Amino acid sequence: MKRRSFLASTTAVFGATLFSGAAPRIASAQTQPVSGGTLIWGHSETTQNLDMHQTGTASTGRVLQNVHNSIVTVDQDLNVIPMLAESFEQSDDGLTYTFRLRPGVKFHDGSEMTSADVKYSFERCANPDTGAVNFEVFNAVESIDTPDPLTVVVTLNQINAPFLSRLAENGAGVIMPEGSGDVQGETPIGAGPFRFVRREFGNEVELERFDDYWDGPAYLERVIAREIPEPTVRLTGLRTGELHMINDIPADRIGEIEDAGELQVVKWFPLNWDFVNLNHTFEPFQDARVRRAFDMIIDKEVLLEGALWGQGAVTASPSYPTSASFNADLVQRPQDIDGARALLEEAGYPPGSLDIVFKATTNYPYHIESAQILVEWFRMAGVNLTIEQLTWADWLSQCWVDRDFQMTMMNFFTLWEPDFLYYSLFNTVGAFNYRSISDPEIDALTEEARITVDPAERAEIYKAVQQRLFDEAHDIMLWFRNGSIGAQPSVGGLDTIVHPNGSNLNFHKVWLNA
């Protein structure tokens, strides 16, 4: 059902490659890079804690991607390649990793990177007192040795097959100056192409070109990220020239902007995946029949049209669709209101007996629209669903940190690495397991995957994890969402801006024509 038909028929109130379609619609007036200028970016989200070890939000990571570099990174095919390390090697037994660092790498405070900084950064991330969201990456680390200023040797006490790929994300692999942890949350210091200047919380972040960047200075003199979660306001700023660039063009306006031909449009699939979360400490959701019933209430295709104007594709799995571990055999449960009512009654919840509060954040307007659509379907299934709208900061405080919610919705970016995805989100002790899921079978599988060296065997384990998640309906998977950027014709280098993970934006090779 197309969105127009859906809107007309419902009583609800509404307020394959990783990187495809990336060619801008308009050629820049000048094809050669130009140095100088300040790019004003309309950022669709609000930054939070600026400590790259502690932050769990892609909104903040998207900015800090330009401030920090990791010891290793990935290429367009998501293969791990050197970054701040000039080279790396793994021992035959898989227990020792040796990193040879690039000489002459400068931090924004003027100090030169050495092995002591790497040791400090890894140990800080691993330390429980730090509160790092990627602490478990270092669980198997036995020792970190620095035989000379440009060599780091990490020894594990057991095989951790995804160790290198987990370091390829800034969260775990970012290298900070030794002793800088206390200031990272407010004034981050890294070795990236841009230096942090200031932040007005909830308004904007200013970055300045770092001329001593090891990979050559950026073209832009400055980037100002203006935080504008409201899609229409963001688009208006672009069209009036107040903004040079925005991410997340409003889904209902992408076709119009492309047809007008006045702005550059970059699109890719996928940007992220969305799912409905059920708090497993809430008694009804401790029963798999209730969780499956809630899954059956939702028509994912219609919800995609209604909330996202079809800008994505439904999925029963959160794995990247190009990943070897993607379980293509999973198919979404079709909407079955009568079946859901029967399953709820079997679980002891007859019509009218369940009152559920759905907490949705205004940081993602399409989450609010999704929740509003769900109200009517849940009413039809005999469930009283009410919506509580939260700011992004309140959502993070209540749902993420305090786990004070019954039902919510969230999207995740940059989780291309399956250990990062499945261990962090679904293992009982995973740092991103804010739903309090505790499934011994998933725990065992995600631990087994970590010590399984053969990639094909490891992929099969993750497929089994996906099957278990689906069977138990621990969360309700919805869709992959498309990514989009709109820009003035004066912006060059847009073909370089999207990180291979589909989420982060890198301004190193972006420029402004006069």
Side-chain angles (χ1 to χ4, degrees):
M1 180 185 292
K2 294 300 181 186
R3 190 179 197 272
R4 185 174 291 107
S5 302
F6 173 66
L7 289 171
S9 63
T10 184
T11 58
V13 179
F14 298 5
T17 57
L18 176 67
F19 187 77
S20 61
R25 288 289 302 269
I26 297 177
S28 296
Q30 200 170 347
T31 57
Q32 293 300 314
V34 177
S35 292
T38 297
L39 183 139
I40 310 298
W41 161 33
H43 188 194
S44 63
E45 301 176 52
T46 302
T47 57
Q48 302 296 320
N49 182 350
L50 296 176
D51 188 327
M52 198 63 190
H53 282 157
Q54 296 173 352
T55 187
T57 66
S59 56
T60 307
R62 195 173 290 131
V63 172
L64 293 181
Q65 166 79 16
N66 297 278
V67 174
H68 290 292
N69 276 177
S70 295
I71 192 164
V72 292
T73 187
V74 291
D75 62 18
Q76 288 295 331
D77 297 317
L78 300 176
N79 299 309
V80 178
I81 59 174
M83 196 175 200
L84 293 180
E86 194 170 54
S87 66
F88 56 84
E89 59 190 50
Q90 182 179 357
S91 62
D92 291 340
D93 62 7
L95 295 177
T96 304
Y97 294 81
T98 302
F99 300 92
R100 312 288 180 186
L101 305 182
R102 294 184 187 277
V105 172
K106 291 286 187 67
F107 289 113
H108 301 155
D109 64 0
S111 62
E112 192 164 304
M113 182 187 72
T114 70
S115 55
D117 301 301
V118 177
K119 179 180 174 68
Y120 168 79
S121 299
F122 287 179
E123 290 182 343
R124 180 175 188 263
C125 192
N127 187 344
D129 294 338
T130 301
V133 295
N134 289 291
F135 67 91
E136 85 279 352
V137 173
F138 300 95
N139 281 354
V141 171
E142 183 173 280
S143 64
I144 302 174
D145 297 310
T146 55
D148 63 61
L150 293 179
T151 304
V152 179
V153 180
V154 180
T155 303
L156 310 184
N157 53 34
Q158 66 175 5
I159 289 175
N160 182 359
F163 181 66
L164 264 182
S165 56
R166 289 297 302 272
L167 293 180
E169 287 288 351
N170 271 344
V174 62
I175 306 304
M176 304 171 173
E178 185 178 11
S180 67
D182 289 345
V183 303
Q184 290 288 343
E186 295 293 332
T187 54
I189 303 169
F194 288 90
R195 182 180 67 85
F196 175 84
V197 176
R198 64 180 176 86
R199 174 176 66 170
E200 298 173 15
F201 190 84
N203 184 29
E204 66 182 33
V205 178
E206 180 180 350
L207 307 178
E208 180 182 63
R209 179 174 60 211
F210 181 52
D211 289 331
D212 291 329
Y213 182 51
W214 66 269
D215 197 23
Y219 301 123
L220 294 168
E221 183 179 345
R222 294 177 187 276
V223 174
I224 294 180
R226 290 192 180 155
E227 299 171 355
I228 312 173
E230 213 293 313
T232 303
V233 176
R234 201 165 57 247
L235 180 58
T236 299
L238 179 65
R239 293 186 117 168
T240 61
E242 179 185 350
L243 305 173
H244 292 107
M245 186 197 100
I246 66 172
N247 65 296
D248 285 356
I249 301 170
D252 59 328
R253 307 293 291 279
I254 290 179
E256 170 195 334
I257 300 302
E258 287 181 315
D259 292 342
E262 298 173 353
L263 298 166
Q264 299 186 80
V265 175
V266 177
K267 296 191 299 184
W268 67 96
F269 172 86
L271 168 67
N272 64 269
W273 55 276
D274 285 84
F275 58 157
V276 169
N277 302 146
L278 310 173
N279 191 331
H280 287 231
T281 65
F282 182 51
E283 184 175 353
F285 296 146
Q286 293 172 5
D287 190 324
R289 293 171 297 181
V290 175
R291 301 194 300 267
R292 283 192 287 269
F294 274 39
D295 191 2
M296 293 161 62
I297 291 172
I298 302 172
D299 187 322
K300 287 80 175 179
E301 289 279 5
V302 172
L303 191 64
L304 178 68
E305 291 291 338
L308 274 187
W309 293 74
Q311 293 295 319
V314 298
T315 181
S317 165
S319 278
Y320 257 47
T322 56
S323 169
S325 61
F326 178 74
N327 190 336
D329 294 334
L330 295 180
V331 179
Q332 292 277 20
R333 290 183 177 91
Q335 186 180 52
D336 182 356
I337 299 293
D338 291 339
R341 287 170 66 99
L343 202 53
L344 288 171
E345 193 142 14
E346 178 186 315
Y349 298 99
S353 64
L354 266 181
D355 296 306
I356 304 294
V357 176
F358 190 113
K359 292 187 175 181
T361 174
T362 54
N363 192 63
Y364 300 109
Y366 70 95
H367 285 194
I368 303 297
E369 292 191 350
S370 295
Q372 291 169 338
I373 294 169
L374 294 182
V375 168
E376 175 63 13
W377 287 336
F378 276 80
R379 183 197 64 78
M380 295 166 60
V383 177
N384 303 314
L385 188 69
T386 57
I387 303 169
E388 184 176 341
Q389 298 189 24
L390 303 176
T391 66
W392 186 220
D394 285 342
W395 188 94
L396 289 169
S397 174
Q398 293 181 33
C399 301
W400 180 270
V401 177
D402 295 337
R403 306 186 183 190
D404 177 19
F405 70 96
Q406 296 173 355
M407 187 173 175
T408 189
M409 179 177 174
M410 191 37 55
N411 48 254
F412 270 82
F413 305 78
T414 71
L415 301 187
W416 57 270
E417 206 290 320
D419 181 73
F420 191 13
L421 171 57
Y422 292 108
Y423 195 101
S424 296
L425 269 164
F426 303 106
N427 189 288
T428 298
V429 299
F432 292 175
N433 185 6
Y434 58 96
R435 290 94 62 231
S436 300
I437 295 169
S438 185
D439 185 324
E441 183 171 328
I442 289 177
D443 290 349
L445 287 168
T446 51
E447 293 289 354
E448 181 185 358
R450 285 189 155 188
I451 59 173
T452 301
V453 176
D454 182 79
E457 292 180 15
R458 193 160 66 250
E460 291 304 311
I461 294 172
Y462 288 125
K463 289 179 182 179
V465 172
Q466 293 159 66
Q467 184 68 59
R468 178 69 176 180
L469 289 172
F470 177 82
D471 292 342
E472 293 296 310
H474 287 310
D475 289 300
I476 302 172
M477 307 302 167
L478 296 177
W479 54 58
F480 294 116
R481 181 165 69 101
N482 297 347
S484 63
I485 288 172
Q488 301 288 344
S490 59
V491 181
L494 287 178
D495 58 327
T496 70
I497 196 170
V498 182
H499 188 280
N501 63 30
S503 170
N504 287 342
L505 303 179
N506 191 331
F507 291 93
H508 181 215
K509 297 298 184 182
V510 175
W511 72 89
L512 274 178
N513 292 308

